[in-house]
Amino acid sequence: RPSWLANQSSYFSFKIWVTVPNRAMGPMVAILPWVLLCLPVTAIRDGWNSKIDSITLDPSITLDPESKNCEEGQKTRKLLQQLGYRGPLDGDHCTWPGITCDDDSCTVKSLECETCSGPLPKRIELGSLETVHLSSPKLKGDIAAFSGMEELYWLQLSGTQVTGDIGALAETKVQYLHLDGTGVHGDLRAFAELGLWDLDLTATAVEGRLGDLAGEVNSLGYSEKMQSLHRLRLGNTSVTGNLSDLLAFGDIQVVDLSHTAVAGGISQAWTRGRCEFLHTLRLCNSSVHFVPGQDLQELKRHKTDDWHKVLPKLRELDVSHCPVNSAVENLLLPLAMSAQLTSITAADSGLHGELPKFTDTEAIVDGSKVANFTFPVAKSLLMLDLSNNNVSKLQDLPVQPGLGRILLRQNQQVTVEPVVLVEALKQEIMVDLSGVKAANDNEVSRIVKGGIVPTTDMLAFRNESAGYACKDVVGSVTVNPPEFLPETLCQCLPGWHGAGATCQICPADEFSNGTGLEKCTKCPGNSTSPPGSAKLTDCICGFGSLHDGMCSCDRHQALQKTGCTVCSKLHLQCNKTGSLASTAKPELSHIRLEAKAEEAYRCLPPVVGQRCPGSEECGVGYTGTLCAACAEGFWATGGTCQPCGEANSKTVGILAFVGVAAVAAAFLAYYRASGQQAPQQTTVKMLLQGLMLRQGPVLLQLVQLWSVLSQLQQRSSSGKKLPEVPYLETLQLTTTELQNSLNLQCRFHAETVRTLAALSSPLAPLLLLGCCAALELYQGGLGVNAALKALTLLYIGGASSTAELLSCQSEDGDGKNLGNFAFRKAIRHLSCSQNDGVAFWVNAVGSSSAVAYVVLIPLFLAGVMVRQHFVCQEARLCNAYAKEEPRQITIRVRTLPAEVSEVRPKRLLAAAAAHMATYCRGKRLVQLHDGFVTISESQEVEEVQQDQLDELDVVKLTADTETSKKIDALRSRRLAEMLTERIMLDETEDRLMIGSKPLLCKYTLCQDIWMDVAMKLFAVALVSCGSMADGWKWAFALSLGMAVLVGVCQPYMQPQVSKLQSLSCLGLALASVAFVYDCAWLARAALVAPVMLLLWQVRCPDCMEALAERLYKELQSELPKLERGESHAVLVKQLRF
């Protein structure tokens, strides 16, 4: 402790250098901490306040004199770095991976590196190296880098990219040299003086003669320097020479001259201990023929001692692809005494002849003939490869049982002794006869068929392209069945024919459905098949498919001329295979149009199931096309055919017809009586009767058109008619319905009755109109009146009968066209294609009736409309106006100057009645003056109930006061014009107007008669819609349009009639949709709704127009009194229940 630190209380630090050799650094690192533990103890003893902060080892400081003199480490590091070594190079070089040093721990003796990929230096300075093993495929450089290395005796550079002349190694002491797979070159004589033990130059560019490698030989023929050569591998080089050059290498053990130009063979010189240690000899693809020449017979004289044997230690011989070109025995017998020979490979060597016997055979041994001798090679040999030669016979198994293999692949024809096959299987010796045909196939076939040689149960070997399959031999014997024993092991596959493995594909339109068939079978008629068909089902039928070996249609299909068709499309029953469209039964509700027809058509509703029961014949009572007509002994009613014995089945129809006729008679009688005398006082009952008489024709027209639209139901999914339709059709009031009701078809010839009824139905209304014309001659206006009433009842029935007479049923129940089988709807036994006989009269009557109903009758009504325009024109040229005064209203009428004076009072009264009906309620006094009329309130007070004449006038109820006044003014003027037209019709002498007066008075104004023309055309249009494909759409549109038109125009005198007519047209629109979509409740509702409206209107049968007409008639009856200036009191009130 220094004196200057005596009084200091501080710390100080110091370093201790410990110098040790590098190789002792490891142990020193472990010992040093324990040594330094002594320091704190010493410091404390001396009074030091000491502390060891750290211990630092610096290996870079080397003070070992011996380490300084070891330059091997620096050279080794440099060499490894040049060779591209990537590992750590710190510390002692002797500890580096792959480095082995001498005992002095400095001199490098061995270098081994598998990852060194860098180039070799020009010269390796480690002259003390004895072994070098560099195996990286990326290693490059010149072999000259190892020249001058006097200590080198082992050099292995296999698989590297090292190049250079091998002569660079001539000055070395290398004994183990492996340069196989490198790029070195040079001549073999460069190694003649090295005394090598192991030389491997496989796949290099080395060349030279094999004898040059031996160098100088002594008197015994052995090489002076290469006597100790044990392994020589020169395969795949350009080395030449003779095989006998190997005799100079006395200790040779392994020789590989494959793929070289070495030639020659063995001779007597190979005996007497020459190459006695050689155990591996590989000569494949060389020029060696191996088989001895002149010494062959001598070598076949076998000796038991090794001195006279050829290659006594030989274990492996490979002469594959060598030009041996000799008999098999010439190759094998010279080696027969080799007791260690385990493998002989002589594939593709030009061998021929029989494989000699090696067991239990006769041989010359030691100069004596020995019987039943077994050569030693037969006990040691494990593999004998004679593939791709021309061996002709296999009569022995010269290999060890259980392990031995004999390869005779691709030897064409070989006579295989049956006993050999049996023994091979028994001893589990592998015998490969692939590509070999048994020359003695009959003998081998017997043992195969007898089961002595087992085969697979299934056809294990298949050749699809050649069309055969074969069983294979089970066990250690390998054969190619189609070549070895084709007739026994092979069979032709399905789709082929022939014998064994000689098979031909079945031609087109033939098949073979089994194996081993010699001939193919022809496909059934009407079927074809592609070449190679293997089963019956490969025969493709021109129609249908195969059933019971024949081409026929499948179930639910039938044969047509063009092929098989699904029976449901033809509406046929095909519950079994092989059905014909011409004979299969039709489906239920379907029938053929003619015998043997290939398609059935759906029958027409109703009762399609009864009409067409699903057989070749129509149902009981039906006949004709689609079974639409009735057979003899049956009568038509409601679209069905009933037996004549059930004539009372339509009693209800008869009663309905009679009831309608009675109603029509009462209707005509009433109209006739109503035109003769007007009642003195109108009652509610009388108003109701008048309203009912106006509404009755509307309901009748509704029922008639509703039954016409029911024809649309044929196009619905069910096609069934509603049960009430036949009875409502009676209200068509046609002769057809009359004869149905009277059952005339059963009383007379049914077909004739139906024909006459169909012809008379359109003509009857027209004939009745002709009678009315005659009546018109008797009394003016009477015939016109009767004709117009007849048209009201009979027009729709006549028009629908005309349409039915002219129309053809050209579609079946499904809408399919019938073609030439179309028939008349009215006369179902009559074809539409006929034009003579009855068909002529049908066309004549139908065409003329159509002209009458569509053209003449509407023109007649149009003439009435035009005529009334001229007759009632003056009513439209007068104008009434009222002046209100206290307690009195004065009404004046402006008329044409040329008007007759006696008409003026009636017009004044008409204007007064229209004004009172519009504005007044209660008692009023009417007084006629010269040129005007006054209306005043009566002094008598009578309570009058508030009427509801305008309860359904939506326009007026929603209008304001001013608009309401204008509406009342227009209505008053319209009523005045109506009453004025009535006055002019009463006074006219025009016969047409006299007869048309009831029709004209049905409307508020005479000019509204256009509605009658429109209704007739509307009826004709609906009748036409019944036979159209999309008729329901037109019917819906027309009916809806007519409903709107009537509802808006309100043409009828009673608003109740207009509303009923509008609702009826709306019901027809709904009915057209209901019939098509099978909505029965909607169709019935469309028929019942107008009836319900009629019953609702019964409670109030009065209206403003009727009130005005009543007031005018009352004032007209008091006209004389009024003309005298007297006043007349009238009661203005609504009549109701």
Side-chain angles (χ1 to χ4, degrees), residues 440-685:
N440 56 334
D441 52 357
N442 292 331
E443 297 178 4
V444 178
S445 178
R446 280 195 296 270
I447 63 174
V448 171
K449 291 180 179 179
I452 300 175
V453 175
T455 59
T456 56
D457 296 332
M458 310 233 356
L459 299 174
F461 184 90
R462 301 177 68 89
N463 189 332
E464 301 288 346
S465 61
Y468 61 83
C470 308
K471 293 182 178 181
D472 204 353
V473 175
V474 177
S476 59
V477 177
T478 302
V479 299
N480 187 18
E483 293 180 317
F484 184 70
L485 206 60
E487 300 295 333
T488 303
L489 297 176
C490 300
Q491 296 178 350
C492 292
L493 290 171
W496 298 72
H497 68 99
T502 305
C503 302
Q504 295 179 351
I505 193 169
C506 287
D509 305 334
E510 294 185 10
F511 71 96
S512 64
N513 56 356
T515 58
L517 298 180
E518 295 184 358
K519 292 184 179 180
C520 298
T521 305
K522 290 188 177 181
C523 288
N526 298 315
S527 67
T528 58
S529 67
S533 297
K535 50 186 177 296
L536 177 61
T537 54
D538 289 342
C539 297
I540 308 302
C541 291
F543 57 85
S545 56
L546 291 171
H547 299 284
D548 298 329
M550 298 178 60
C551 287
S552 59
C553 295
D554 298 331
R555 190 181 178 191
H556 305 306
Q557 291 185 350
L559 176 61
Q560 284 186 305
K561 295 179 181 179
T562 57
C564 291
T565 306
V566 178
C567 287
S568 59
K569 295 182 179 180
L570 303 176
H571 305 293
L572 300 175
Q573 301 181 49
C574 308
N575 297 324
K576 59 181 181 179
T577 59
S579 298
L580 301 178
S582 59
T583 59
K585 288 185 177 182
E587 290 179 348
L588 182 65
S589 306
H590 293 77
I591 195 70
R592 285 186 172 85
L593 298 180
E594 60 180 345
K596 303 297 182 181
E598 294 185 341
E599 185 176 5
Y601 289 77
R602 183 174 179 82
C603 295
L604 301 176
V607 293
V608 289
Q610 295 180 6
R611 193 185 301 273
C612 301
S615 63
E616 298 295 338
E617 302 295 334
C618 295
V620 178
Y622 297 92
T623 187
T625 304
L626 295 182
C627 301
C630 291
E632 194 67 27
F634 289 80
W635 61 293
T637 170
T640 64
C641 298
Q642 302 295 334
C644 287
E646 302 177 3
N648 59 346
S649 63
K650 207 171 184 187
T651 304
V652 177
I654 298 174
L655 294 177
F657 190 90
V658 174
V660 171
V663 171
F667 178 72
L668 292 175
Y670 173 79
Y671 263 91
R672 186 176 180 84
S674 64
Q676 295 177 357
Q677 184 178 1
Q680 294 296 326
Q681 186 174 3
T682 304
T683 62
V684 177
K685 183 177 180 180

Side-chain angles (χ1 to χ4, degrees), residues 226-499:
M226 301 295 286
Q227 175 70 24
S228 60
L229 182 64
H230 286 65
R231 298 179 184 85
L232 177 62
R233 301 181 184 90
L234 300 176
N236 287 288
T237 62
S238 300
V239 174
T240 61
N242 193 283
L243 184 63
S244 297
D245 294 337
L246 294 176
L247 297 176
F249 308 109
D251 295 335
I252 194 70
Q253 297 179 7
V254 177
V255 174
D256 185 358
L257 298 176
S258 304
H259 299 276
T260 63
V262 176
I266 63 175
S267 62
Q268 185 69 24
W270 285 72
T271 61
R272 294 186 292 276
R274 305 303 291 267
C275 294
E276 59 179 330
F277 303 107
L278 181 62
H279 59 76
T280 301
L281 181 58
R282 300 189 182 98
L283 304 172
C284 66
N285 287 284
S286 66
S287 300
V288 174
H289 59 79
F290 192 80
V291 174
Q294 298 178 356
D295 299 337
L296 177 61
Q297 296 302 323
E298 184 63 27
L299 292 178
K300 285 183 180 181
R301 295 183 179 93
H302 304 289
K303 305 294 182 179
T304 56
D305 61 293
D306 290 346
W307 179 259
H308 294 91
K309 293 180 182 179
V310 176
L311 303 176
K313 304 294 184 181
L314 187 64
R315 295 196 296 267
E316 178 184 349
L317 174 64
D318 187 357
V319 290
S320 299
H321 310 287
C322 292
V324 178
N325 300 326
S326 181
V328 180
E329 64 177 18
N330 295 338
L331 172 67
L332 300 181
L333 288 179
L335 303 174
M337 298 303 291
S338 298
Q340 299 183 21
L341 188 58
T342 59
S343 174
I344 299 177
T345 304
D348 193 20
S349 299
L351 297 174
H352 57 82
E354 300 178 358
L355 182 67
K357 287 180 64 66
F358 288 90
T359 60
D360 299 328
T361 184
E362 184 178 295
I364 299 176
V365 180
D366 293 333
S368 301
K369 182 181 292 186
V370 180
N372 299 324
F373 181 74
T374 298
F375 288 99
V377 71
K379 299 178 181 180
S380 63
L381 195 61
L382 296 178
M383 214 273 280
L384 176 61
D385 186 359
L386 301 177
S387 303
N388 291 287
N389 288 294
N390 196 19
V391 178
S392 60
K393 187 175 183 179
L394 176 63
Q395 55 186 341
D396 195 11
L397 297 172
V399 292
Q400 295 186 35
L403 300 175
R405 295 187 299 168
I406 299 177
L407 307 183
L408 294 176
R409 293 189 294 257
Q410 306 299 326
N411 269 277
Q412 298 182 359
Q413 291 192 2
V414 177
T415 300
V416 182
E417 294 291 343
V419 66
V420 172
L421 284 180
V422 175
E423 286 299 319
L425 294 171
K426 181 178 179 180
Q427 298 180 18
E428 297 183 355
I429 296 174
M430 178 182 172
V431 179
D432 191 348
L433 298 173
S434 302
V436 174
K437 177 176 177 56
N440 56 334
D441 52 357
N442 292 331
E443 297 178 4
V444 178
S445 178
R446 280 195 296 270
I447 63 174
V448 171
K449 291 180 179 179
I452 300 175
V453 175
T455 59
T456 56
D457 296 332
M458 310 233 356
L459 299 174
F461 184 90
R462 301 177 68 89
N463 189 332
E464 301 288 346
S465 61
Y468 61 83
C470 308
K471 293 182 178 181
D472 204 353
V473 175
V474 177
S476 59
V477 177
T478 302
V479 299
N480 187 18
E483 293 180 317
F484 184 70
L485 206 60
E487 300 295 333
T488 303
L489 297 176
C490 300
Q491 296 178 350
C492 292
L493 290 171
W496 298 72
H497 68 99

